Amino acid sequence: MNIIFLYRAYPNYGGVEVVTTVLANKFVSDGHGVTIVSFEQPHMELAGQLYAGIDIERLNYPIVSRANVKKLHGIIVRKRVDIVVNQWGLPFHTTMLCNKAMRGTACRLISVLHGSPNTSKVIIKAQDAVKCAANPVSRVVCGALLRAKESVVKASIRYACKHSERYVLLSEGFIRPLADYARLKSTVNVVAIGNPVTIPVDLDGFDFAKKKRQLLYVGRMDYENKRVNRIVEAWQELYGQYPDWELVLVGDGPHKSKLMDYVHDNDIARVRFEGFQVDPPIKYYRDASIFMLTSDLEGFGLVIIESMSYGVVPVVYGSYEAVFDIIRDGFSGFITPYPYNKEYTVKKIKYLMDNPSHRIEMAKEAMIDAGKFTVDSIARQWYEMFEEVIG
């Protein structure tokens, strides 16, 4: 089988890009042919992570240009491509491009939504603009823009579902919210496949006694969807009561300096900002005992599974359905209820801090649950879908 992955920016740092690399390498190791097509290639040094034989091709903006259709069609014909996996499955432009390029071939299209089914970063920013509007006139204008953007997003989802053989979500729990949000008439071709663990997991000789008293966050430092400020604010309630614990924040982003200023100005002790890591943050997972995620917007939360693979107990805000596929609340971690409540979050963290024996038992359960998302397990689901689509 020959497969194309299409995405906006590749090679690049980011969750979708890493998942694409892992799946591409797995497919090639299983004897399939893979080509990756992108519109931006900001970090070509990462191409070295791909197995030999995986080509990267570049298209240009605008997305649905005659030149792009011609070039993508040529790749499909030349490489006898059976499946195009559109990893940029929300904007309708990419679906339209793929369908135009596949004309006259037996190639089939699978589109993937790597995010929440009923919101996006664009929508959240528009909602924040409404909340922060300074006067009634600007509030009306911002509200109109919000409604217009939501209309475009919903129409894009309907178009992609209609013009793809399969529309892939990251969780079974996303299917009904997607149908309700976009007003889909049918979800017969909407399926769910989770993301695979993208880091090497080798727990031979793993010793829970070597775990440190650390709370950990790994990800982008922003307020818009990750809401990392909530983690710092929760720690602000805890650090005075637990002098032998610390908070470790791994990552970079537009609001990192603001977070650092907040920690400094409020004299919050034992907070480590570790910055962006080129290598997978395995050493942080090995050390930490509790993982925190308080995002308003997540697609899948791969860092949750990664941390669980190394026996870190997650405390995650239940703002999105996929988290319930990952964590068994009260057994392999805690899912805090919607809407976000700082006091409830602090309560669950304190429980884990105060009960080390139960924390270790939950860590063991977390490792078991993370095993459902191995590359082999996820790849089998992709192959089954490929066979259904090709016939």
Side-chain angles (χ1 to χ4, degrees), residues 326-338:
I326 299 171
I327 299 169
R328 286 176 293 138
D329 185 31
F331 293 91
S332 57
F334 288 120
I335 302 173
T336 65
Y338 183 90

Side-chain angles (χ1 to χ4, degrees), residues 239-302:
Y239 78 91
Q241 304 170 54
Y242 298 90
D244 52 348
W245 283 76
E246 65 176 341
L247 171 65
V248 180
L249 302 164
V250 180
D252 209 338
H255 297 111
K256 181 182 174 183
S257 60
K258 288 185 179 180
L259 283 169
M260 296 178 74
D261 289 343
Y262 184 87
V263 169
H264 178 267
D265 294 345
N266 290 276
D267 198 25
I268 305 173
R270 300 183 306 284
V271 180
R272 283 169 42 198
F273 288 90
E274 290 295 299
F276 175 76
Q277 306 293 309
V278 175
D279 296 323
I282 293 172
K283 62 181 180 181
Y284 299 102
Y285 294 141
R286 283 192 179 277
D287 286 346
S289 293
I290 301 170
F291 184 83
M292 291 188 65
L293 194 67
T294 53
S295 309
D296 274 349
L297 176 64
E298 284 289 343
F300 190 65
L302 197 56

Side-chain angles (χ1 to χ4, degrees), residues 144-312:
L145 287 173
L146 170 60
R147 289 189 294 275
K149 289 177 180 179
E150 284 200 309
S151 295
V152 171
V153 169
K154 293 174 183 179
S156 293
I157 292 171
R158 289 194 295 270
Y159 183 89
C161 288
K162 183 177 180 180
H163 294 90
S164 303
E165 294 288 335
R166 295 290 185 276
Y167 196 68
V168 181
L169 307 180
L170 299 178
S171 165
E172 288 280 352
F174 279 164
I175 296 177
R176 178 43 50 193
L178 180 86
D180 293 341
Y181 178 71
R183 298 178 183 174
L184 298 178
K185 294 180 180 179
S186 172
T187 57
V188 67
N189 68 330
V190 180
V191 300
I193 301 178
N195 280 334
V197 175
T198 61
I199 60 173
V201 178
D202 181 6
L203 298 176
D204 291 341
F206 188 82
D207 186 357
F208 282 103
K210 294 181 180 180
K211 283 286 187 183
K212 297 179 181 179
R213 294 175 178 178
Q214 290 180 351
L215 277 71
L216 176 67
Y217 167 80
V218 176
R220 184 171 171 79
M221 301 286 176
D222 73 36
Y223 292 172
E224 290 163 346
N225 61 328
K226 297 296 184 182
R227 307 289 192 190
V228 189
N229 55 300
R230 291 171 174 166
I231 294 174
V232 174
E233 290 162 5
W235 175 245
Q236 189 175 9
E237 301 291 319
L238 293 163
Y239 78 91
Q241 304 170 54
Y242 298 90
D244 52 348
W245 283 76
E246 65 176 341
L247 171 65
V248 180
L249 302 164
V250 180
D252 209 338
H255 297 111
K256 181 182 174 183
S257 60
K258 288 185 179 180
L259 283 169
M260 296 178 74
D261 289 343
Y262 184 87
V263 169
H264 178 267
D265 294 345
N266 290 276
D267 198 25
I268 305 173
R270 300 183 306 284
V271 180
R272 283 169 42 198
F273 288 90
E274 290 295 299
F276 175 76
Q277 306 293 309
V278 175
D279 296 323
I282 293 172
K283 62 181 180 181
Y284 299 102
Y285 294 141
R286 283 192 179 277
D287 286 346
S289 293
I290 301 170
F291 184 83
M292 291 188 65
L293 194 67
T294 53
S295 309
D296 274 349
L297 176 64
E298 284 289 343
F300 190 65
L302 197 56
V303 287
I304 304 172
I305 301 171
E306 291 179 352
S307 67
M308 291 167 68
S309 299
Y310 283 88
V312 190

Side-chain angles (χ1 to χ4, degrees), residues 2 10 119 141 198 220 229 293 299 302 365 387:
N2 294 311
Y10 187 96
T119 190
V141 172
T198 61
R220 184 171 171 79
N229 55 300
L293 194 67
L302 197 56
E365 293 297 320
E387 292 299 326

Side-chain angles (χ1 to χ4, degrees), residues 110-124:
I110 293 172
S111 295
V112 187
L113 180 62
H114 282 277
S116 176
N118 48 16
T119 190
S120 66
K121 193 169 185 177
V122 170
I123 300 302
I124 286 178

